[in-house]
Amino acid sequence: MEITKELVGIGQLEACLRGKDFASCAILVGEVLVGAKAKALKKAYDNLKLLKRGCKIAGRSTLRTAPSAFADTPCGAHKIPGFPRDKSKITSGAGDCQACAERIRDNLGDGKIVRFRPAGPYFGKYRGQDTDGWNNGYHVVVVLNGRVYDAFTPKAGESIPEYKAQWEYGDIINFEF
């Protein structure tokens, strides 16, 4: 608990609450400001990665299919070895969808991770393959600029309608996007 408080930047909170004066709270203020700066730096770093790829213009992410002048990966496409996975791997189980989605989002530099569940007791077929091995009861994807990414989509993802069409019950599943 003590380590967590220090990492979050509230290690001096108890002393500040006991003393209730500027001297007791000065260190707390410094810790909180440092924590906020670290979060801001991470966000700035992520935005710089997008900017370097030529994927960010005037403060908003854009999807382009032509390669940028600064990198060999097109905007809106990830570069993860082994992805997309062969659709035959769908039947044996999707694996850790959350971890895959986080890898894709990190590689893209942006995106919203979305978890959805089947409309009934199971998903039905996905990309023509049975999903019986999916015993976690949900699937996790990344949605960015109107495109959906998972371990089985092309590197540039698929439009939302294209992605939903890959599911046997895509017309009744609440995808949350």
Side-chain angles (χ1 to χ4, degrees):
M1 181 66 169
E2 294 302 315
I3 293 171
T4 303
K5 284 197 287 188
E6 291 300 320
L7 289 174
V8 173
I10 59 170
Q12 296 296 317
L13 179 61
E14 292 168 353
C16 178
L17 291 173
R18 274 192 305 264
K20 297 180 185 164
D21 62 354
F22 181 75
S24 301
C25 296
I27 296 173
L28 173 65
V29 170
E31 286 180 354
V32 170
L33 289 176
V34 169
K37 286 179 184 178
K39 287 179 186 176
L41 284 173
K42 183 188 180 329
K43 185 171 182 160
Y45 175 71
D46 291 343
N47 285 332
L48 283 173
K49 286 193 306 188
L50 281 176
L51 184 61
K52 180 181 178 195
R53 286 178 52 193
C55 299
K56 197 155 184 93
I57 298 171
R60 62 189 168 117
S61 297
T62 59
L63 178 64
R64 290 191 338 220
T65 54
S68 71
F70 301 101
D72 60 352
T73 304
C75 296
H78 64 76
K79 184 165 89 167
I80 301 175
F83 283 19
R85 291 181 178 160
D86 187 81
K87 69 180 184 175
S88 65
K89 294 188 179 194
I90 292 171
T91 303
S92 62
D96 188 356
C97 302
Q98 181 75 34
C100 289
E102 289 174 5
R103 281 183 67 194
I104 291 169
R105 182 198 55 203
D106 291 347
N107 196 270
L108 289 170
D110 200 2
K112 179 180 179 187
I113 293 182
V114 178
R115 176 189 284 203
F116 60 91
R117 297 189 177 284
Y122 58 93
F123 279 112
K125 293 185 178 192
Y126 173 50
R127 299 184 184 276
Q129 304 293 312
D130 287 323
T131 58
D132 297 338
W134 293 17
N135 55 9
N136 58 7
Y138 62 87
H139 189 53
V140 183
V141 298
V142 176
V143 179
L144 175 64
N145 295 327
R147 299 191 70 76
V148 184
Y149 304 80
D150 72 9
F152 303 101
T153 60
K155 291 185 179 285
E158 293 174 321
S159 71
I160 291 173
E162 288 173 326
Y163 183 78
K164 289 180 178 182
Q166 300 296 328
W167 292 87
E168 181 178 12
Y169 302 119
D171 56 336
I172 60 172
I173 294 173
N174 181 5
F175 289 95
E176 307 288 331
F177 52 83

